[in-house]
Amino acid sequence: MSNEAPILEVRNLQMYFPLETGLWSRIAGSKRVVKALDGVNLSVMEGETLGVVGESGCGKSTLARCIVRMYEPTGGEVLYRGKNVLKFGPKEMKEYRRKVQMIFQDPYSSLDPRTTIRNMLSEVLHLHRITSSKQQLEEKMEGLMISVGLDPAQLGRFPHEFSGGQRQRLCVARALAVEPELIIADESVSALDVSIQAQTLNLFEELQKKLGLTMVFISHDLSVVEHISTRVAVMYLGKAVEVSESTELFEDPEHPYTQALISAVPVPDPDVKTNEIILKGDVPTAANIPPGCRFHPRCQSAMPVCSEVEPVLLESRKDHLVACHLIHPVEAPPKPVAPQQVK
Amino acid sequence: MLKYIITRLALTIPTLFGLAVFDFLLLYLTPGGPTGVIIQSFRSTGTPISPVVIAELQKEYGLNVPAPVQFARWIFNAIQGNLGNSYFSHEPVTSLILARLQVTLVLAISATLIALAIAIPLGVAAAVRRNSLVDYVGTAVSLVGISMPTFWLGFLLIDFLALTLHAFPAVGYASPFTLNGLRYLILPALTLSFSTLAIISRVLRASMVEALGEDYILTARSKGLKERIVVYRHALRNALLPTLTLLGLYFGSNLGGVVTIEYTFHYLGLGDLAVSAMLSRDYPLIEGFVLYTGVVFVFANAIVDIFYSIIDPRIRLR
Amino acid sequence: MASTNPPSAMVPVPATKGYTVLGRKVPRSVYRFFRNKLAVIGMTIVLINCFVAIFAQFIAPYNPDAIPLTIDAFQNPSWTHLLGTDELGRDMFSRIVFGTQISLTVGLFSVLLSGTVGITLGTVAGWMKGKVDRVLEAIFDIWLSLPSLILSIILVTFLGAGVRNVILAVAVSNIPSYARLIRAEVIRLSDKDFIVAQRLLGFSSWKIVVKNVLPNAATPIIVYSTFSFAVAILAEASLSFLGLGVLPPTPSWGAILNELQVTIFAHIEPTFWPGLAIMQLVLGFNFLGDGLRDAFDPRLKV
């Protein structure tokens, strides 16, 4: 691990949703929960793009929502520049809102259909007192439109007058209006056509370089994540199972789950023989997580110990973390990754 | 399933308790509060009223204790069926209401049956022959039906069926359990049925149109079944369920329409009793009416929900 | 910058196709509304009634309360008395013209009152969710434990007769259904990404509700309010007909029927006119509501 302090750190984050909310379960005292996040540890370095991949239902989106405090996590910590976000008061929270922004999946529902783009942007700029004069406001809004590749003359329009790709650009413009340090993109290109996806990804990359942004890029699509990320975290059933530098992860994955995911990516060359690893069974639900290693029922190389002892996310090489008994035999005393993870 | 039924019925308890509190507090809405009401009812008897008499009256009616205690006593009695006596007839409120409730239920059920008897053929015909004369007449009837004050419809029917054709007695009452009583029942029942009829026929038309477009209807037709059988046995059976559920809801709100209709026809049901109690400020009787109507309405709604959950299991997941 | 973005992103969006009503460019929904015959009829009926209510003094040929010295009760319609006279010889047409004022006043103020309170309660329940929502829902359940007409009747009995109390009674009985509607709408909207985005941008709940949630709930609110007018007018007529609402000699349509009820065996014909008056206005609001719903929010169609 590098020595700089991370901009964002997630420690042992837990998000349990009650499964039954009805009157009956309150009377009967049912305690069944869905463990959407079950002890996630991750850190995001300044200026990097961290890709988060996993199948649907693995808790990627819940992670995003916990980081921005749309959900109140049931356990663990979210540290922003070393301060626990979950303990922020209203004033610090407002400051945090400026620093961290999110881009959503569906560009059609993420813009208010009854507000013009001008009103949308000017309200945001006004709220955080980013511009002080009318002229400055107008210049800033035009600048935002240009920076996301849209015509400033269209500021007076309503969202329905734009296409899907253009709307996603508008969402980016809105997020950039508060001059954030960290942007969380939650499946932000998944709803777009493939050709538009590439354009939008390029826009993200370019903006990131130009503005020195840090990004967390969440997607189920490995090729998208490979394209944009500097580092990648693989999630499975509410936990990070492998975290590594992007090229290394895609070329030499260590966790059997990561290996299976990568082997399933189609290669656009008929001559290349792929050894696709077919996973057994379905993804267990987050309401019913298997004991021991949560991946063991589907794992090709599962050992007896895998169904008993839960593996810990440990460094296997420099800056490469993996949670698997194959890599870290369970007899060896586990070495903690970072001193702060030990209580 | 049983779990849902029990939960749904248990939910009526807090609602009914709230209704009882509301009912109890109504007297405090009147100018002068409960004491004022009693003084007024005594003034009508001509007894002179001094502060001493007032204090005595308060004691007699249990008004000298704090309101929560009064409420506890009142609800304790109410559960046992004791709602006090009418100011005027001095008979127990409960027996007055129960006698009239029977009559009103007969009226409401007859109205519902009449509505069904007309609405089902009308709705089916409108759906089968869309944009035909039948369909337009059906639409017009339902639009007018929901916009018409029911008591006015009563006057129109009195004018036409009673005063012009002499088919039925215009107003009045005889026990609906006798043959003669049925003649008095028909006009109010017909009037009351109209708004239900208007809505049910439209809903049935819509769900019939939907059902007739389903694949199983196509299959039935391609099997060579007679159109009558396709329409009545296959489509109607599926279209009827949502309609019947709605009927349950309207049966409940018909309890509101009953009041004006019984008043119009001088039909001696619960609604007529309630209006005369209100016009003469017979408060114990009014409170009894509120409680009984509320209980019937709340249970009618619960039964509709339960019925619905039987035909559509998704609703239980809520 | 523009180098990486293909020019397609810069191409201006084509303007929406032109829809015109009476030669003016209008949004598609307005165009849809005016293409709907029943909607236009409904709007016309409502506008005519408003006109009659405002200019009642100039339209009514007689003082609606004037009882002539010579007894000329129950006259048939004629050129002197367009709709005949009532049991006291008062001009029916004039009474009905003034009755428009009462129906529309009760309709307007009860809709305003129940709308304000209902929207507030519904928004609070839908936005706050959790405990607040559960408590409010329980209160709405109790509130709805009587059929709304019966609740109005009871309330007006205890509050006393008169236009003001009728407005209050009708409004109160309509609040919970208003609140339920708004609550559902607010819950639907608060899950939308654009509302979440506003929160993440740092806007306060108050601002989001006022600037983003309520404007997006405007269509169902307007449609429901139009139907509420119809319900309120019918309720006022029922209360006054029972002799509990607006009392005679005030020329409320329901009160006129209440007076005429005594003499229906001898003279039932005059009851036709006030009833027709109620029906046309209620029909007008129902047509208007249907038209608004179909034009602006087809999703609401039952």
Side-chain angles (χ1 to χ4, degrees), chain C residues 207-236:
Chain C
K207 245 197 174 144
I208 299 174
V209 165
V210 172
K211 289 215 161 162
N212 304 99
V213 177
L214 289 181
N216 277 287
T219 306
I221 291 176
I222 290 168
V223 170
Y224 188 76
S225 303
T226 312
F227 288 128
S228 294
F229 255 97
V231 171
I233 288 163
L234 271 180
E236 184 275 327

Side-chain angles (χ1 to χ4, degrees), chain B residues 37-256:
Chain B
V37 168
I38 289 161
I39 292 170
Q40 225 159 20
S41 78
F42 260 74
R43 194 168 281 147
S44 56
T45 64
T47 325
I49 295 168
S50 65
V52 185
V53 176
I54 291 177
E56 237 165 69
L57 280 174
Q58 280 186 326
K59 206 169 173 184
E60 192 188 322
Y61 282 88
L63 292 172
N64 54 344
V65 293
V69 180
Q70 289 178 39
F71 176 70
R73 280 185 195 162
W74 179 78
I75 196 137
F76 186 72
N77 284 328
I79 288 169
Q80 293 175 315
N82 177 10
L83 290 166
N85 293 339
S86 157
Y87 284 166
F88 296 94
S89 69
H90 301 289
E91 283 174 62
V93 165
T94 311
S95 59
L96 277 174
I97 286 178
L98 284 180
R100 297 292 193 102
L101 186 62
Q102 265 183 3
V103 175
T104 293
L105 285 178
V106 170
L107 176 58
I109 291 168
S110 325
T112 309
L113 292 179
I114 294 175
L116 276 182
I118 302 173
I120 291 178
L122 192 63
V124 170
V128 172
R129 269 173 280 164
R130 252 175 295 167
N131 300 324
S132 69
L133 187 66
V134 190
D135 194 12
Y136 290 133
V137 169
T139 310
V141 164
S142 72
L143 281 173
V144 169
I146 55 166
S147 303
M148 207 183 235
T150 45
F151 47 92
W152 182 58
L153 176 66
F155 286 146
L156 294 181
L157 290 179
I158 289 175
D159 188 6
F160 182 63
L161 292 176
L163 300 180
T164 310
L165 295 179
H166 300 285
F168 304 102
V171 298
Y173 168 82
S175 166
F177 302 104
T178 63
L179 209 58
N180 184 40
L182 285 181
R183 295 175 58 237
Y184 288 95
L185 176 67
I186 287 179
L187 275 190
L190 212 55
T191 313
L192 185 58
S193 71
F194 203 63
S195 58
T196 313
L197 162 86
I199 289 156
I200 294 291
S201 65
R202 282 299 88 181
V203 174
L204 183 63
R205 177 193 178 274
S207 46
M208 271 300 279
V209 167
E210 199 183 319
L212 285 170
E214 298 281 350
D215 285 344
Y216 62 80
I217 294 296
L218 199 65
T219 315
R221 284 203 179 118
S222 63
K223 278 196 299 191
L225 289 183
K226 282 195 185 118
E227 190 61 20
R228 268 178 68 95
I229 294 181
V230 172
V231 170
Y232 282 96
R233 188 162 307 157
H234 293 257
L236 181 60
R237 191 180 281 181
N238 286 288
L240 214 50
L241 277 178
T243 317
L244 288 180
T245 317
L246 200 71
L247 192 69
L249 284 179
Y250 280 95
F251 183 77
S253 66
N254 264 349
L255 291 171

Side-chain angles (χ1 to χ4, degrees), chain A residues 214-235:
Chain A
T214 309
M215 281 190 65
V216 173
F217 199 93
I218 293 171
S219 179
H220 66 277
D221 188 338
L222 273 109
S223 48
V224 165
V225 168
E226 183 178 13
H227 178 90
I228 199 164
S229 310
T230 43
R231 224 152 52 89
V232 174
V234 181
M235 280 185 72

